[in-house]
Structures are given as C-alpha cells and as structure tokens.
C-alpha cells in the first residue's frame, strides 16, 4: 500500500511524544486563550483523518471477519476466532486484508469531516451561547455537533464503504479500490451501486458517533471525578489512561447502539440482497428475514472488540496529532471554577 505511506506519522516522532507523556504535564493540547480559526479546523480535520485511517486500517482483518459473519452466519458460525481460521484456511493471510484500500481512503475522508466537523460545530455553538451555557449543555452540544458532522462525512464515506463491502463479500469482484469502484458504478449506477446503503449508514454512523463523543466526554469526566480530580488536573500517564479507558467505554457503547444498522448495511451492499425495489423496500425485506434479535447480535462480539479498540486509539491519536501540529484543542470549561476541562 505504497500510496498510503503519506498518511503515517514518523515512528520516531510518535515514540518521542508517547515517551514524554510520563513526565510532561501537557500530554495533550488543552483549551486556553486561543483563536479557533480556519487553521485550527484544518488541523483538527487532518488529525481526524490520520487517526481514523490508521485505526480502521490496522483493524481491517477484524472488520473482514465481522463482515463475513454478518453476510454468511451459517458458514462463519464459530465466532471471531473461528472466522479468522476459516478465512486463513481458504484465502490465506491476504484474505484478511481484503478491502484495505477502500477502508484506509474511506475512513481518512470520513475522519477528516467527522473530527473536523465536530470541532467546528462544537466551538461555534459554544461561542454563540457563551461559556456557562456551553458548560451546562455540553452533552447536548456533543450530540448535535457529532450528528451534523457525521451526516456530512457519510456522504463521502458511503461509496467507499459500498466498494469495501462488495470486495469483502466477493473477493474476485475486482483487484483493488479503483477497479472495484469503476465496475460497481458501471454495472449498478451511482445510486444503487454507491448509495444503496446510505440510509443504513446514517442509521449506523450517526447514533454511533453521537454516542462515541458524548459517552467519551462523560466517561472521562466520571473517571477523573472518581479519582477526586478534574480532567484539567490529570497529567502524564494518568491522563493517557483516562483517555484510553473512556475511549473503550465509548466504543463499546456506540457499537451496541449502532450494530443493527451495521448488519443491514453489510447485507444491503451484497449483490442481490433484498430483491428488487427501492432501498427502503429492500431494507425492510432484509430486516424481516433476519429478525431484530439476529440483527442486534450476529457479529456483535467482533464489532465490540473492534470498535472498543478503534475508538480508544482514535481519541489517543487525535490528541497526539493535534499536539504535534501545535494546535490547542478546544475543551468545555466551567466559568465558576475558572478551569478548563
């Protein structure tokens, strides 16, 4: 994947940054007397694109197995480990990298708009209503900002996700991202080929992202409070640990909430799924055929492992990259305490 090397951060730079966390009181950027302008939003978007591309790319093998379990639960009926064994036995190690190209490109684009959008909407809403109102309503702001950002991001993600799922469900469909996307567009057209899953992807990603940001913020505050501290007081490895643990909690919560729609998305992008008719008609047939319980549980274990790990890694990498770019990350703060959180 030579084309994606530019997305990777220098290993020595990351190593130096992570090593400095043991003693550095400024582990990640914190809000302060900062002007939040276009430069800040571009840095936020870049950090979001990098953290999503790296984490989703690294977990591509898990996503391949999870998608196979959803698409063919009869064959892949021995859980996550059994699914890995089946793919390796039939396709070799290369089978676990199926769809890596669309995954990295798609989630770089999605991360760019998602994290950049969340920062844009969050900052502008907070500034428009004032510090105290923003602090009192921070959960609502997280929910609204993340929903708006995710909707925009999904417009760009959906064609690449459709291409990825087609490659995973039928590895012989094409050799790589661009040949697969071209064939899908030629054979099925723009709407059916690329946007059949737009409804499910919104149903999956919007609640997922809302839960992801809101739960992570609340979990981080709760963990810090249980330690008798404010988030602004945490330093070094303690702050890093809180970031990772809150990310895991947020990821698992978001995975459970969004899993039924994730299963529908995997199914509807499989060739011939749901028969003929509109997207909603096809989705309805698939949902009735599978049933709510299976929609909610098939592949859930693999998805919780994947999303819990992925979300923790994203919040860590986002903060590290923001710090490396020199951006001071916006955080809500309580004017009554005079401290940033």
């Amino acid at each position: 994947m030579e084309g994606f090397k530019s997305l990777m951060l220098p290993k020595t730079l990351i190593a130096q940054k992570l090593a400095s966390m043991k003693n550095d009181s400024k582990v990640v950027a914190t809000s302060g007397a900062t002007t939040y302008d276009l430069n800040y939003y571009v840095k936020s978007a870049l950090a979001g694109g990098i953290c999503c591309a790296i984490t989703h790319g690294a977990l591509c093998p898990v996503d391949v197995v999870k998608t196979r379990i959803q698409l063919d639960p009869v064959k892949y009926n021995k859980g996550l480990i059994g699914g890995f064994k089946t793919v390796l036995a039939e396709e070799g190690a290369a089978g676990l990298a199926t769809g890596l190209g669309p995954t990295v490109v798609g989630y770089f684009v999605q991360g760019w708009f998602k994290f950049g959008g969340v920062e844009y909407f969050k900052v502008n809403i907070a500034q428009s209503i004032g510090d105290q109102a923003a602090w009192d309503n921070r959960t609502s702001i997280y929910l609204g900002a993340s929903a708006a950002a995710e909707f925009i991001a999904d417009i760009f993600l959906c064609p690449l996700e459709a291409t990825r799922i087609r490659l995973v469900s039928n590895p012989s469909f094409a050799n790589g991202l661009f040949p697969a996307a071209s064939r899908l567009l030629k054979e099925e057209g723009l709407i059916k080929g690329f946007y059949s899953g737009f409804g499910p992807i919104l149903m999956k990603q919007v609640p997922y992202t809302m839960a992801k940001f809101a739960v992570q913020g609340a979990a981080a505050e709760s963990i810090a409070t249980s330690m008798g501290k404010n988030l602004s007081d945490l330093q070094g490895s303690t702050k890093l640990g809180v970031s990772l643990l809150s990310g895991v909690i947020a990821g698992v919560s978001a995975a459970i909430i969004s899993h039924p729609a994730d299963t529908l998305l995997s199914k509807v992008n499989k060739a011939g799924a749901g028969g003929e008719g509109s997207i909603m008609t096809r989705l309805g047939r698939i949902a009735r055929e599978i049933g709510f319980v299976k929609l909610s549980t098939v592949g859930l274990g693999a998805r919780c492992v994947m999303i819990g790990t992925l979300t923790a890694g994203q919040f860590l990498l986002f903060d590290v990259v923001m710090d490396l770019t020199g951006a001071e990350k916006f955080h809500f703060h309580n004017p009554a305490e005079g401290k940033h959180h």
Side-chain angles (χ1 to χ4, degrees):
M1 305 300 292
E2 293 293 325
F4 298 121
K5 286 185 177 179
S6 61
L7 298 180
M8 306 300 290
L9 292 172
K11 293 181 179 179
T12 55
L13 194 58
I14 293 180
Q16 291 171 1
K17 185 62 193 172
L18 293 177
S20 71
M21 289 180 175
K22 293 181 179 179
N23 299 310
D24 190 355
S25 61
K26 187 181 179 183
V27 178
V28 294
T30 54
S31 53
T34 304
T35 299
Y36 298 99
D37 54 11
L38 178 61
N39 186 48
Y40 173 78
Y41 300 128
V42 170
K43 290 179 178 179
S44 300
L46 177 62
I50 290 172
C51 77
C52 287
I54 291 175
T55 52
H56 278 277
L59 287 169
C60 182
V62 178
D63 205 18
V64 168
V65 175
K66 182 267 300 180
T67 303
R68 295 283 177 86
I69 292 171
Q70 291 172 318
L71 292 175
D72 192 355
V74 175
K75 179 178 179 180
Y76 295 91
N77 60 359
K78 297 180 180 179
L80 181 61
I81 303 301
F84 270 103
K85 292 180 179 178
T86 300
V87 174
L88 285 171
E90 295 184 356
E91 302 171 40
L96 294 175
T98 303
L100 179 61
T103 296
V104 173
V105 175
Y107 282 97
F108 178 85
V109 173
Q110 192 232 24
W112 176 284
F113 286 101
K114 176 162 64 177
F115 278 85
V118 166
E119 290 301 310
Y120 175 81
F121 290 118
K122 183 173 66 176
V123 169
N124 282 273
I125 292 172
Q127 289 179 340
S128 68
I129 64 177
D131 287 349
Q132 188 61 59
W135 173 254
D136 294 338
N137 297 282
R138 59 195 182 281
T139 299
S140 296
I141 294 174
Y142 271 126
L143 293 171
S146 57
E150 185 61 52
F151 181 87
I152 295 170
D154 288 345
I155 295 173
F156 298 92
L157 172 65
C158 196
L160 290 154
E161 182 71 354
T163 304
R164 181 194 72 81
I165 291 174
R166 183 58 60 89
L167 284 171
V168 171
S169 64
N170 181 12
S172 62
F173 182 74
N175 184 25
L177 166 60
F178 295 108
S182 297
R183 180 179 173 183
L184 199 57
L185 181 63
K186 180 180 180 180
E187 293 183 358
E188 301 187 19
L190 178 66
I191 301 300
K192 184 177 180 181
F194 285 159
Y195 285 96
S196 288
F198 189 58
I201 210 171
L202 287 178
M203 290 187 291
K204 179 187 80 169
Q205 289 294 138
V206 172
Y208 160 75
T209 300
M210 292 170 71
K212 172 179 173 176
F213 283 94
V215 172
Q216 192 273 338
E221 284 187 25
S222 297
I223 294 168
T225 300
S226 71
M227 301 166 62
K229 297 181 179 181
N230 291 319
L231 283 175
S232 56
D233 298 328
L234 301 180
Q235 299 179 4
S237 59
T238 302
K239 190 169 188 177
L240 174 61
V242 170
S243 177
L244 289 172
L245 179 56
S246 61
V248 171
I249 294 171
V252 173
S253 300
I256 294 171
I257 290 171
S258 61
H259 191 67
D262 182 65
T263 303
L264 278 177
L265 177 63
S266 296
K267 291 287 188 181
V268 80
N269 279 307
K270 186 176 180 180
E276 298 298 324
S278 67
I279 292 174
M280 295 309 297
T281 299
R282 293 169 60 205
L283 288 173
R285 291 195 192 107
I286 295 170
R288 286 192 298 271
E289 178 183 336
I290 299 174
F292 180 75
V293 173
K294 288 186 177 180
L295 277 177
S296 303
T297 58
V298 173
L300 181 59
R303 182 166 163 78
C304 284
V305 171
M306 175 184 169
I307 300 300
T309 305
L310 178 147
T311 304
Q314 284 180 359
F315 281 110
L316 170 63
L317 286 173
F318 179 79
D319 286 334
V320 170
V321 175
M322 287 288 281
D323 200 41
L324 291 173
T325 64
E328 294 190 13
K329 184 181 174 183
F330 175 87
H331 285 279
F332 294 107
H333 70 280
N334 186 356
E337 295 182 2
K339 293 183 178 181
H340 292 278
H341 292 252

PDB file of all heavy atoms in Angstrom, residues 212-243:
ATOM      1  N   LYS A 212     -20.451   7.998  20.678  1.00  0.00           N
ATOM      2  CA  LYS A 212     -18.990   7.974  20.786  1.00  0.00           C
ATOM      3  C   LYS A 212     -18.459   9.229  21.460  1.00  0.00           C
ATOM      4  O   LYS A 212     -17.684   9.154  22.425  1.00  0.00           O
ATOM      5  CB  LYS A 212     -18.402   7.826  19.376  1.00  0.00           C
ATOM      6  CG  LYS A 212     -16.902   7.970  19.263  1.00  0.00           C
ATOM      7  CD  LYS A 212     -16.525   7.768  17.799  1.00  0.00           C
ATOM      8  CE  LYS A 212     -15.064   8.043  17.525  1.00  0.00           C
ATOM      9  NZ  LYS A 212     -14.712   7.754  16.118  1.00  0.00           N
ATOM     10  N   PHE A 213     -18.865  10.391  20.986  1.00  0.00           N
ATOM     11  CA  PHE A 213     -18.331  11.642  21.537  1.00  0.00           C
ATOM     12  C   PHE A 213     -18.966  11.998  22.878  1.00  0.00           C
ATOM     13  O   PHE A 213     -18.274  12.444  23.800  1.00  0.00           O
ATOM     14  CB  PHE A 213     -18.512  12.779  20.532  1.00  0.00           C
ATOM     15  CG  PHE A 213     -17.516  12.751  19.415  1.00  0.00           C
ATOM     16  CD1 PHE A 213     -17.803  12.123  18.220  1.00  0.00           C
ATOM     17  CD2 PHE A 213     -16.270  13.340  19.559  1.00  0.00           C
ATOM     18  CE1 PHE A 213     -16.882  12.079  17.186  1.00  0.00           C
ATOM     19  CE2 PHE A 213     -15.326  13.311  18.536  1.00  0.00           C
ATOM     20  CZ  PHE A 213     -15.635  12.679  17.342  1.00  0.00           C
ATOM     21  N   ALA A 214     -20.279  11.799  22.983  1.00  0.00           N
ATOM     22  CA  ALA A 214     -20.947  12.157  24.243  1.00  0.00           C
ATOM     23  C   ALA A 214     -20.531  11.230  25.381  1.00  0.00           C
ATOM     24  O   ALA A 214     -20.250  11.684  26.501  1.00  0.00           O
ATOM     25  CB  ALA A 214     -22.461  12.118  24.052  1.00  0.00           C
ATOM     26  N   VAL A 215     -20.487   9.913  25.118  1.00  0.00           N
ATOM     27  CA  VAL A 215     -20.117   8.955  26.159  1.00  0.00           C
ATOM     28  C   VAL A 215     -18.657   9.125  26.556  1.00  0.00           C
ATOM     29  O   VAL A 215     -18.310   9.061  27.743  1.00  0.00           O
ATOM     30  CB  VAL A 215     -20.389   7.510  25.698  1.00  0.00           C
ATOM     31  CG1 VAL A 215     -19.819   6.510  26.700  1.00  0.00           C
ATOM     32  CG2 VAL A 215     -21.889   7.281  25.531  1.00  0.00           C
ATOM     33  N   GLN A 216     -17.783   9.350  25.568  1.00  0.00           N
ATOM     34  CA  GLN A 216     -16.366   9.523  25.897  1.00  0.00           C
ATOM     35  C   GLN A 216     -16.151  10.740  26.795  1.00  0.00           C
ATOM     36  O   GLN A 216     -15.399  10.685  27.773  1.00  0.00           O
ATOM     37  CB  GLN A 216     -15.540   9.660  24.620  1.00  0.00           C
ATOM     38  CG  GLN A 216     -14.029   9.550  24.836  1.00  0.00           C
ATOM     39  CD  GLN A 216     -13.356  10.866  25.199  1.00  0.00           C
ATOM     40  OE1 GLN A 216     -13.882  11.944  24.916  1.00  0.00           O
ATOM     41  NE2 GLN A 216     -12.184  10.776  25.811  1.00  0.00           N
ATOM     42  N   GLY A 217     -16.833  11.851  26.470  1.00  0.00           N
ATOM     43  CA  GLY A 217     -16.700  13.035  27.303  1.00  0.00           C
ATOM     44  C   GLY A 217     -17.210  12.807  28.713  1.00  0.00           C
ATOM     45  O   GLY A 217     -16.549  13.169  29.700  1.00  0.00           O
ATOM     46  N   ALA A 218     -18.391  12.181  28.825  1.00  0.00           N
ATOM     47  CA  ALA A 218     -18.967  11.914  30.148  1.00  0.00           C
ATOM     48  C   ALA A 218     -18.138  10.897  30.922  1.00  0.00           C
ATOM     49  O   ALA A 218     -17.924  11.031  32.137  1.00  0.00           O
ATOM     50  CB  ALA A 218     -20.406  11.421  29.994  1.00  0.00           C
ATOM     51  N   ALA A 219     -17.640   9.855  30.219  1.00  0.00           N
ATOM     52  CA  ALA A 219     -16.848   8.829  30.893  1.00  0.00           C
ATOM     53  C   ALA A 219     -15.536   9.393  31.415  1.00  0.00           C
ATOM     54  O   ALA A 219     -15.116   9.083  32.537  1.00  0.00           O
ATOM     55  CB  ALA A 219     -16.567   7.672  29.929  1.00  0.00           C
ATOM     56  N   ALA A 220     -14.900  10.219  30.629  1.00  0.00           N
ATOM     57  CA  ALA A 220     -13.638  10.823  31.062  1.00  0.00           C
ATOM     58  C   ALA A 220     -13.848  11.686  32.307  1.00  0.00           C
ATOM     59  O   ALA A 220     -13.052  11.629  33.257  1.00  0.00           O
ATOM     60  CB  ALA A 220     -13.046  11.655  29.927  1.00  0.00           C
ATOM     61  N   GLU A 221     -14.920  12.474  32.309  1.00  0.00           N
ATOM     62  CA  GLU A 221     -15.221  13.303  33.485  1.00  0.00           C
ATOM     63  C   GLU A 221     -15.505  12.432  34.707  1.00  0.00           C
ATOM     64  O   GLU A 221     -15.040  12.730  35.817  1.00  0.00           O
ATOM     65  CB  GLU A 221     -16.420  14.206  33.199  1.00  0.00           C
ATOM     66  CG  GLU A 221     -16.110  15.389  32.311  1.00  0.00           C
ATOM     67  CD  GLU A 221     -17.294  16.335  32.198  1.00  0.00           C
ATOM     68  OE1 GLU A 221     -18.137  16.349  33.124  1.00  0.00           O
ATOM     69  OE2 GLU A 221     -17.381  17.055  31.191  1.00  0.00           O
ATOM     70  N   SER A 222     -16.271  11.355  34.514  1.00  0.00           N
ATOM     71  CA  SER A 222     -16.629  10.468  35.631  1.00  0.00           C
ATOM     72  C   SER A 222     -15.404   9.764  36.205  1.00  0.00           C
ATOM     73  O   SER A 222     -15.259   9.635  37.427  1.00  0.00           O
ATOM     74  CB  SER A 222     -17.662   9.427  35.180  1.00  0.00           C
ATOM     75  OG  SER A 222     -18.863  10.042  34.778  1.00  0.00           O
ATOM     76  N   ILE A 223     -14.520   9.303  35.318  1.00  0.00           N
ATOM     77  CA  ILE A 223     -13.307   8.630  35.782  1.00  0.00           C
ATOM     78  C   ILE A 223     -12.442   9.597  36.583  1.00  0.00           C
ATOM     79  O   ILE A 223     -11.927   9.252  37.659  1.00  0.00           O
ATOM     80  CB  ILE A 223     -12.519   8.056  34.592  1.00  0.00           C
ATOM     81  CG1 ILE A 223     -13.322   6.945  33.912  1.00  0.00           C
ATOM     82  CG2 ILE A 223     -11.160   7.511  35.047  1.00  0.00           C
ATOM     83  CD1 ILE A 223     -12.756   6.524  32.567  1.00  0.00           C
ATOM     84  N   ALA A 224     -12.292  10.804  36.069  1.00  0.00           N
ATOM     85  CA  ALA A 224     -11.497  11.805  36.781  1.00  0.00           C
ATOM     86  C   ALA A 224     -12.119  12.144  38.132  1.00  0.00           C
ATOM     87  O   ALA A 224     -11.417  12.245  39.146  1.00  0.00           O
ATOM     88  CB  ALA A 224     -11.364  13.060  35.928  1.00  0.00           C
ATOM     89  N   THR A 225     -13.450  12.277  38.160  1.00  0.00           N
ATOM     90  CA  THR A 225     -14.138  12.590  39.414  1.00  0.00           C
ATOM     91  C   THR A 225     -13.966  11.474  40.431  1.00  0.00           C
ATOM     92  O   THR A 225     -13.790  11.730  41.634  1.00  0.00           O
ATOM     93  CB  THR A 225     -15.642  12.821  39.142  1.00  0.00           C
ATOM     94  OG1 THR A 225     -15.793  13.916  38.229  1.00  0.00           O
ATOM     95  CG2 THR A 225     -16.380  13.146  40.427  1.00  0.00           C
ATOM     96  N   SER A 226     -14.009  10.223  39.979  1.00  0.00           N
ATOM     97  CA  SER A 226     -13.828   9.090  40.891  1.00  0.00           C
ATOM     98  C   SER A 226     -12.435   9.072  41.517  1.00  0.00           C
ATOM     99  O   SER A 226     -12.224   8.478  42.569  1.00  0.00           O
ATOM    100  CB  SER A 226     -14.079   7.770  40.150  1.00  0.00           C
ATOM    101  OG  SER A 226     -13.036   7.496  39.235  1.00  0.00           O
ATOM    102  N   MET A 227     -11.500   9.743  40.849  1.00  0.00           N
ATOM    103  CA  MET A 227     -10.142   9.853  41.369  1.00  0.00           C
ATOM    104  C   MET A 227      -9.956  11.102  42.219  1.00  0.00           C
ATOM    105  O   MET A 227      -8.862  11.381  42.709  1.00  0.00           O
ATOM    106  CB  MET A 227      -9.143   9.879  40.196  1.00  0.00           C
ATOM    107  CG  MET A 227      -9.195   8.646  39.311  1.00  0.00           C
ATOM    108  SD  MET A 227      -8.321   8.848  37.736  1.00  0.00           S
ATOM    109  CE  MET A 227      -6.662   9.128  38.302  1.00  0.00           C
ATOM    110  N   GLY A 228     -11.063  11.855  42.377  1.00  0.00           N
ATOM    111  CA  GLY A 228     -11.007  13.078  43.162  1.00  0.00           C
ATOM    112  C   GLY A 228     -10.338  14.227  42.437  1.00  0.00           C
ATOM    113  O   GLY A 228      -9.818  15.152  43.075  1.00  0.00           O
ATOM    114  N   LYS A 229     -10.368  14.200  41.098  1.00  0.00           N
ATOM    115  CA  LYS A 229      -9.702  15.242  40.315  1.00  0.00           C
ATOM    116  C   LYS A 229     -10.605  15.742  39.198  1.00  0.00           C
ATOM    117  O   LYS A 229     -11.588  15.095  38.824  1.00  0.00           O
ATOM    118  CB  LYS A 229      -8.408  14.696  39.704  1.00  0.00           C
ATOM    119  CG  LYS A 229      -7.360  14.264  40.725  1.00  0.00           C
ATOM    120  CD  LYS A 229      -6.106  13.762  40.017  1.00  0.00           C
ATOM    121  CE  LYS A 229      -5.042  13.353  41.023  1.00  0.00           C
ATOM    122  NZ  LYS A 229      -3.793  12.888  40.351  1.00  0.00           N
ATOM    123  N   ASN A 230     -10.254  16.910  38.664  1.00  0.00           N
ATOM    124  CA  ASN A 230     -10.866  17.400  37.440  1.00  0.00           C
ATOM    125  C   ASN A 230     -10.023  16.923  36.266  1.00  0.00           C
ATOM    126  O   ASN A 230      -8.826  16.637  36.420  1.00  0.00           O
ATOM    127  CB  ASN A 230     -10.930  18.932  37.427  1.00  0.00           C
ATOM    128  CG  ASN A 230     -11.903  19.477  38.448  1.00  0.00           C
ATOM    129  OD1 ASN A 230     -12.985  18.937  38.642  1.00  0.00           O
ATOM    130  ND2 ASN A 230     -11.506  20.551  39.108  1.00  0.00           N
ATOM    131  N   LEU A 231     -10.620  16.867  35.092  1.00  0.00           N
ATOM    132  CA  LEU A 231      -9.850  16.479  33.913  1.00  0.00           C
ATOM    133  C   LEU A 231      -8.653  17.390  33.702  1.00  0.00           C
ATOM    134  O   LEU A 231      -7.585  16.949  33.267  1.00  0.00           O
ATOM    135  CB  LEU A 231     -10.749  16.512  32.670  1.00  0.00           C
ATOM    136  CG  LEU A 231     -11.713  15.340  32.483  1.00  0.00           C
ATOM    137  CD1 LEU A 231     -12.610  15.588  31.276  1.00  0.00           C
ATOM    138  CD2 LEU A 231     -10.956  14.040  32.320  1.00  0.00           C
ATOM    139  N   SER A 232      -8.817  18.655  34.022  1.00  0.00           N
ATOM    140  CA  SER A 232      -7.731  19.608  33.833  1.00  0.00           C
ATOM    141  C   SER A 232      -6.553  19.357  34.768  1.00  0.00           C
ATOM    142  O   SER A 232      -5.452  19.857  34.541  1.00  0.00           O
ATOM    143  CB  SER A 232      -8.245  21.036  34.038  1.00  0.00           C
ATOM    144  OG  SER A 232      -8.840  21.167  35.314  1.00  0.00           O
ATOM    145  N   ASP A 233      -6.776  18.575  35.835  1.00  0.00           N
ATOM    146  CA  ASP A 233      -5.703  18.293  36.791  1.00  0.00           C
ATOM    147  C   ASP A 233      -4.879  17.062  36.416  1.00  0.00           C
ATOM    148  O   ASP A 233      -3.804  16.840  36.967  1.00  0.00           O
ATOM    149  CB  ASP A 233      -6.295  18.064  38.196  1.00  0.00           C
ATOM    150  CG  ASP A 233      -7.019  19.297  38.721  1.00  0.00           C
ATOM    151  OD1 ASP A 233      -6.594  20.419  38.377  1.00  0.00           O
ATOM    152  OD2 ASP A 233      -8.012  19.127  39.460  1.00  0.00           O
ATOM    153  N   LEU A 234      -5.384  16.233  35.510  1.00  0.00           N
ATOM    154  CA  LEU A 234      -4.702  14.988  35.159  1.00  0.00           C
ATOM    155  C   LEU A 234      -3.445  15.257  34.347  1.00  0.00           C
ATOM    156  O   LEU A 234      -3.421  16.156  33.493  1.00  0.00           O
ATOM    157  CB  LEU A 234      -5.634  14.080  34.376  1.00  0.00           C
ATOM    158  CG  LEU A 234      -6.933  13.664  35.077  1.00  0.00           C
ATOM    159  CD1 LEU A 234      -7.752  12.771  34.163  1.00  0.00           C
ATOM    160  CD2 LEU A 234      -6.645  12.964  36.392  1.00  0.00           C
ATOM    161  N   GLN A 235      -2.407  14.473  34.609  1.00  0.00           N
ATOM    162  CA  GLN A 235      -1.145  14.658  33.923  1.00  0.00           C
ATOM    163  C   GLN A 235      -0.552  13.324  33.491  1.00  0.00           C
ATOM    164  O   GLN A 235      -0.909  12.273  34.014  1.00  0.00           O
ATOM    165  CB  GLN A 235      -0.129  15.371  34.844  1.00  0.00           C
ATOM    166  CG  GLN A 235      -0.557  16.758  35.282  1.00  0.00           C
ATOM    167  CD  GLN A 235       0.462  17.408  36.206  1.00  0.00           C
ATOM    168  OE1 GLN A 235       1.524  16.845  36.447  1.00  0.00           O
ATOM    169  NE2 GLN A 235       0.136  18.583  36.722  1.00  0.00           N
ATOM    170  N   GLY A 236       0.361  13.384  32.542  1.00  0.00           N
ATOM    171  CA  GLY A 236       1.161  12.243  32.147  1.00  0.00           C
ATOM    172  C   GLY A 236       0.383  10.989  31.825  1.00  0.00           C
ATOM    173  O   GLY A 236      -0.637  10.998  31.142  1.00  0.00           O
ATOM    174  N   SER A 237       0.884   9.866  32.348  1.00  0.00           N
ATOM    175  CA  SER A 237       0.292   8.573  32.039  1.00  0.00           C
ATOM    176  C   SER A 237      -1.125   8.440  32.598  1.00  0.00           C
ATOM    177  O   SER A 237      -1.940   7.693  32.051  1.00  0.00           O
ATOM    178  CB  SER A 237       1.168   7.448  32.597  1.00  0.00           C
ATOM    179  OG  SER A 237       1.310   7.577  33.999  1.00  0.00           O
ATOM    180  N   THR A 238      -1.433   9.171  33.676  1.00  0.00           N
ATOM    181  CA  THR A 238      -2.789   9.133  34.230  1.00  0.00           C
ATOM    182  C   THR A 238      -3.793   9.706  33.230  1.00  0.00           C
ATOM    183  O   THR A 238      -4.860   9.133  32.991  1.00  0.00           O
ATOM    184  CB  THR A 238      -2.866   9.921  35.546  1.00  0.00           C
ATOM    185  OG1 THR A 238      -1.932   9.387  36.473  1.00  0.00           O
ATOM    186  CG2 THR A 238      -4.272   9.856  36.132  1.00  0.00           C
ATOM    187  N   LYS A 239      -3.435  10.808  32.621  1.00  0.00           N
ATOM    188  CA  LYS A 239      -4.310  11.427  31.625  1.00  0.00           C
ATOM    189  C   LYS A 239      -4.470  10.528  30.409  1.00  0.00           C
ATOM    190  O   LYS A 239      -5.568  10.370  29.870  1.00  0.00           O
ATOM    191  CB  LYS A 239      -3.735  12.779  31.200  1.00  0.00           C
ATOM    192  CG  LYS A 239      -4.672  13.609  30.344  1.00  0.00           C
ATOM    193  CD  LYS A 239      -4.133  15.020  30.193  1.00  0.00           C
ATOM    194  CE  LYS A 239      -5.153  15.916  29.503  1.00  0.00           C
ATOM    195  NZ  LYS A 239      -4.676  17.316  29.418  1.00  0.00           N
ATOM    196  N   LEU A 240      -3.368   9.891  29.999  1.00  0.00           N
ATOM    197  CA  LEU A 240      -3.421   8.963  28.884  1.00  0.00           C
ATOM    198  C   LEU A 240      -4.322   7.777  29.201  1.00  0.00           C
ATOM    199  O   LEU A 240      -5.125   7.346  28.370  1.00  0.00           O
ATOM    200  CB  LEU A 240      -2.009   8.470  28.553  1.00  0.00           C
ATOM    201  CG  LEU A 240      -1.894   7.375  27.491  1.00  0.00           C
ATOM    202  CD1 LEU A 240      -2.448   7.849  26.154  1.00  0.00           C
ATOM    203  CD2 LEU A 240      -0.435   6.947  27.344  1.00  0.00           C
ATOM    204  N   GLY A 241      -4.205   7.247  30.423  1.00  0.00           N
ATOM    205  CA  GLY A 241      -5.029   6.115  30.831  1.00  0.00           C
ATOM    206  C   GLY A 241      -6.506   6.451  30.830  1.00  0.00           C
ATOM    207  O   GLY A 241      -7.335   5.644  30.406  1.00  0.00           O
ATOM    208  N   VAL A 242      -6.840   7.647  31.301  1.00  0.00           N
ATOM    209  CA  VAL A 242      -8.242   8.082  31.298  1.00  0.00           C
ATOM    210  C   VAL A 242      -8.753   8.199  29.870  1.00  0.00           C
ATOM    211  O   VAL A 242      -9.882   7.793  29.568  1.00  0.00           O
ATOM    212  CB  VAL A 242      -8.392   9.420  32.052  1.00  0.00           C
ATOM    213  CG1 VAL A 242      -9.794   9.999  31.850  1.00  0.00           C
ATOM    214  CG2 VAL A 242      -8.112   9.238  33.536  1.00  0.00           C
ATOM    215  N   SER A 243      -7.931   8.733  28.979  1.00  0.00           N
ATOM    216  CA  SER A 243      -8.324   8.873  27.578  1.00  0.00           C
ATOM    217  C   SER A 243      -8.601   7.515  26.944  1.00  0.00           C
ATOM    218  O   SER A 243      -9.619   7.327  26.257  1.00  0.00           O
ATOM    219  CB  SER A 243      -7.216   9.598  26.804  1.00  0.00           C
ATOM    220  OG  SER A 243      -7.534   9.692  25.436  1.00  0.00           O
TER     221      SER A 243
END
